[in-house]
Amino acid sequence: MSIEEGYRPLEPGVRTDFSGTLDYAGYLDLDTLLSAQHPLSDPPHPDELLFVIQHQTTELWLKLMVHELVGARGFLDADDLARARKSLARVKHILRTITEQWSVLATLTPSEYAEFRDVLGPASGFQSVQYRAVEFLLGNKNPQMLKVFAGDPAAHEFLEDALTGHTVYDAFLRLVARRGLPVPAAVLERDVSKPWVEQPGLVEVFRQVYEDTSRYWDLYETSEDLVDLEDAFQLWRFRHLRTVQRTIGYKTGTGGSSGVSFLRRALDLTFFPELITVRTEIGMP
């Protein structure tokens, strides 16, 4: 056979016999992955598969985000700033990917979604344990969210660990303190299960970093990494809001939230407020 007959022949070294050995589908467990989509509409609505896959793939990316954020925290604890920055960079790219992914779901029109929305019942992305873990790892702690997972002991334990553990920002600030900068003791000794609130005493610390970049170059670069990460996260939140708004308008969310209004309030949340506030101070006498 040749290319003239309508196809390109396999190269001589390409393996075709995988009897009794690991192949691509086996390594990725594709039988499990590709059989995990179970639309509930009856008869199956042609657009429900899109809705399911959109959220399943987001959950896979969230799993990797949790993995990378936990890794970044550990590298910061070990004073390995270079590897921490690598993990943070990967999280930023994940956020860009799932932000663009909203454009696929946005092809679902209001009338199409209305034809199967009722099969979701009370199910909602609000109940994503992995999303909540990401928020906790970045500092938006909320112990009330544990109630949502009271009926799932494994999820509850997973999220409780994230709630009581220190954040990526905590780990970075501890490293900054180990470098000799005057991070306030109240920051270093804080109850890490509480949500982060802006600490005015940190602004002067970051002012020193930003105004003496030659001395604190790696701290300066990591600070900018965190700002990049927050920007990427906020863009993802915003695209979520806009996709929901164009699909259901101002209806109540399936999980009981106020929908668009609830998502809009989330845009006011910030993970690293001092890294924004310091910009007002830089260059001031």
Side-chain angles (χ1 to χ4, degrees):
M1 298 292 182
S2 68
I3 196 167
E4 287 79 12
E5 295 180 50
Y7 63 88
R8 185 181 66 178
L10 290 176
E11 295 177 353
V14 173
R15 183 169 180 171
T16 58
D17 183 6
F18 293 92
S19 303
T21 191
L22 184 67
D23 64 2
Y24 176 79
Y27 175 70
L28 296 178
D29 197 8
L30 290 182
D31 285 346
T32 299
L33 185 65
L34 298 179
S35 62
Q37 294 74 47
H38 306 290
L40 298 180
S41 51
D42 186 19
H45 192 284
D47 296 311
E48 191 180 357
L49 185 62
L50 160 64
F51 190 85
V52 171
I53 289 177
Q54 169 88 22
H55 290 83
Q56 286 183 339
T57 52
T58 298
E59 287 294 329
L60 287 172
W61 286 121
L62 287 170
K63 181 175 183 176
L64 185 56
M65 285 178 64
V66 170
H67 173 76
E68 294 296 338
L69 290 171
V70 169
R73 183 180 63 183
F75 292 136
L76 290 168
D77 289 341
D79 291 317
D80 192 343
L81 206 52
R83 293 188 70 184
R85 292 191 61 206
K86 171 71 174 184
S87 293
L88 293 175
R90 186 168 290 163
V91 172
K92 288 186 289 183
H93 285 295
I94 293 169
L95 283 165
R96 292 187 184 109
T97 296
I98 61 176
T99 296
E100 183 57 33
Q101 188 171 288
W102 286 119
S103 64
V104 183
L105 191 61
T107 64
L108 183 67
T109 68
S111 55
E112 290 165 346
Y113 184 41
E115 291 170 353
F116 69 86
R117 189 184 186 221
D118 62 315
V119 304
L120 274 66
S124 166
F126 180 81
Q127 301 146 17
S128 169
V129 64
Q130 295 191 122
Y131 170 75
R132 203 58 56 186
V134 168
E135 288 258 12
F136 284 6
L137 283 161
L138 292 175
N140 185 22
K141 304 285 185 82
N142 184 350
Q144 292 186 332
M145 287 306 306
L146 293 180
K147 297 177 184 178
V148 177
F149 307 97
D152 185 340
H156 189 279
E157 181 180 2
F158 174 72
L159 197 56
E160 189 170 33
D161 286 345
L163 178 71
T164 57
H166 63 295
T167 70
V168 172
Y169 198 33
D170 287 320
F172 179 53
L173 294 173
R174 293 173 186 178
L175 183 150
V176 170
R178 291 193 296 274
R179 292 288 185 87
L181 284 159
V183 177
V187 171
L188 300 175
E189 298 166 4
R190 80 181 192 92
D191 180 352
V192 297
S193 68
K194 303 295 184 182
W196 182 266
V197 293
E198 185 165 359
Q199 302 290 323
L202 276 177
V203 176
E204 180 57 30
V205 173
F206 283 118
R207 177 172 176 165
Q208 292 181 50
V209 170
Y210 275 80
E211 292 189 340
D212 193 353
T213 57
S214 60
R215 182 178 180 183
Y216 301 114
W217 181 259
D218 57 352
L219 300 181
Y220 163 69
E221 285 283 271
T222 307
S223 298
E224 287 295 284
D225 288 337
L226 292 174
V227 174
D228 287 346
L229 191 156
E230 174 145 347
D231 282 352
F233 201 98
Q234 290 287 46
L235 286 171
W236 179 74
R237 281 173 168 162
F238 181 73
R239 285 296 300 274
H240 183 191
L241 181 156
R242 296 295 298 184
T243 302
V244 170
Q245 183 173 277
R246 70 177 287 161
T247 306
I248 67 169
Y250 297 95
K251 294 186 180 74
T252 299
T254 51
S257 76
S258 56
V260 167
S261 297
F262 174 81
L263 296 174
R264 183 173 288 115
R265 289 195 298 274
L267 294 175
D268 293 329
L269 298 173
T270 182
F271 299 122
F272 320 118
E274 298 81 8
L275 291 174
I276 302 302
T277 300
V278 73
R279 283 155 162 73
T280 306
E281 304 296 325
I282 296 168
M284 299 291 287

